[in-house]
Amino acid sequence: MRRPGRGAGPAHDDGGVTVGASVDLRLADLHPALDDPALNSMNFLNEVAQDYPDAVSLAAGRPYEEFLDVAALPRYLDAFGRHLADDLGQGPEQVRRTLLQYGRTKGIVHHLVARNLAVDEGVTVDPEAIVVTVGCQEAMFLVLRALRAGPRDVLLAVAPTYVGLTGAARLLDLPVRPVTAGPSGVDPADLRAEVRRARAEGLRPRACYLMPDFANPSGTSIPLAGRRALLELAAEEDLLLIEDNPYGLFPAGDTRRLPTLKALDTARRVVYLGSFAKTVLPGARVGYVVADQRVAGRDGDVGLLADQLARIKSMVTVNTSAIAQAVVGGALLEHGCSLVDATARERAAYDRNLRHLVDGLRRRFPAGAPVRWTVPTGGFFVVLTVPFPVDDALLHRSAREYGVLWTPMAHFYDGGKPVRALRLSVSAVTPAQIDAGLDRLTALITDELSRRGATAPVG
Ligand SMILES: Cc1ncc(COP(=O)(O)O)c(C=O)c1O
């Protein structure tokens, strides 16, 4: 694994004057999170992909690139500019200012995001409760920063957990305690037990982070009854839920989309994180958070959590690029603010790929083979369980000797314990690439099994 350079060098001589010895810093003197596996995870996976450009990647959770269209950008910008003038009554100078100046901290497409949530999710939110962020990743960071008030605060997260969440929590010195996912996305008994255990230890569980729809990496979804039960449990235990939903628009086959937790939330228990990376384009780096929780100030004033998040944002990224927001805003406007409509082609491709991958696994590993996999009802990800530990060294070997990339599931668990599973993603590949990738992966697994003389049971 490549590490950031230490930057050592000889004393610098500038025109005959010795300016001084270069400064060496020690990683041990920087924030401890910088040495944490969670922060190395994304870089490591990107580096392996760069080192083996000819390998088939069943690792990347990126949207399918052929659908990303450079020619659409001016059209989107133009549509948003016209919207500012025609619908919001802005004159030419104001349009120029909105698009090109520093802008409103909470964003300039908040009203369109609110409309999108109403059209696609049946969620009614005050646009003032929305903060448009630099990707969903920033939204996560702002929420965790606001919630982490002191050393007794902890976050609960359904495990396996998206590594971006774990990394952000590490940077904020916010410990993450795992909650069992179980077969239906979250085990409510374990969640309740974790809340109570933390409180019994004198800790404050500030929220539970989870992905009810086609989760990354597990692919599981929480059924409707489970969602209602979760909201009841959150009320009983007085717990916030952080709902992250980047994949909800990609149900497979005739799977019906379920209401989000936010749609079922009548008590402002749910902080909702959204991303336009998979639905519009990842390069815009636009996401958002709905934070309609009321916050009482010291003087008795009551505001919105969104306003507190905006104060943090003003010190992190000032505001989300107006140009990037305009691109996303134009894409929303072009489709009547419905991303369900806008992503019909993507949904079909991901559905086809998911089926292709699962069928391909079934053909290559007939009943009785010591390999198991999940069959998700949507999203990008399938988890394959094998009877041997899957670590970064095996991924390197897979890339080098077999020409196929995937993600070790260990990256999504804390604690560095060996995990006998890997994540396969179908979003950035064609069916032919899936075939090639599965052939290569099958060869790796077969060799690994015979190397270990394994008839060991899966699990
Ligand atoms: C669960 C989850 N949340 C958040 C993100 C990050 O979204 P964004 O690209 O909008 O920052 C991802 C990206 O893969 C993700 O899988």
Side-chain angles (χ1 to χ4, degrees), residues 135-137 140 162 209 211 216 244 246-247 275 277-278 285:
C136 176
Q137 186 66 33
M140 252 177 234
Y162 174 56
Y209 168 88
M211 246 173 287
N216 177 12
D244 190 4
Y247 305 101
S275 170
K278 321 291 174 178
R285 302 300 305 125

Side-chain angles (χ1 to χ4, degrees), residues 290-322:
V290 180
D292 55 0
Q293 288 68 29
R294 284 183 294 239
V295 178
R298 289 188 208 288
D299 51 10
D301 276 5
V302 177
L304 289 171
L305 178 59
D307 292 315
Q308 303 307 323
L309 301 184
R311 293 170 80 183
I312 303 171
K313 179 173 172 65
S314 74
M315 292 293 145
V316 180
T317 54
V318 183
N319 61 253
T320 301
S321 156

Side-chain angles (χ1 to χ4, degrees), residues 170 410 413-418:
R170 287 280 190 286
Y413 290 95
D414 247 355
K417 274 207 230 126

Side-chain angles (χ1 to χ4, degrees), residues 129 131 139-140 142-144 146-147 206-210 212 231 239-245 261-262 265 267-274 288-294 305-306 309:
V131 183
M140 252 177 234
L142 301 181
V143 172
L144 300 191
L147 290 178
R206 300 311 317 267
C208 178
Y209 168 88
L210 72 173
L231 285 164
L239 186 72
L240 276 178
L241 301 174
I242 302 174
E243 176 178 29
D244 190 4
N245 188 19
L261 289 178
K262 192 67 195 159
D265 174 29
R268 304 170 195 255
R269 285 246 160 242
V270 179
V271 176
Y272 183 85
L273 307 178
Y288 63 92
V289 50
V290 180
D292 55 0
Q293 288 68 29
R294 284 183 294 239
L305 178 59
L309 301 184

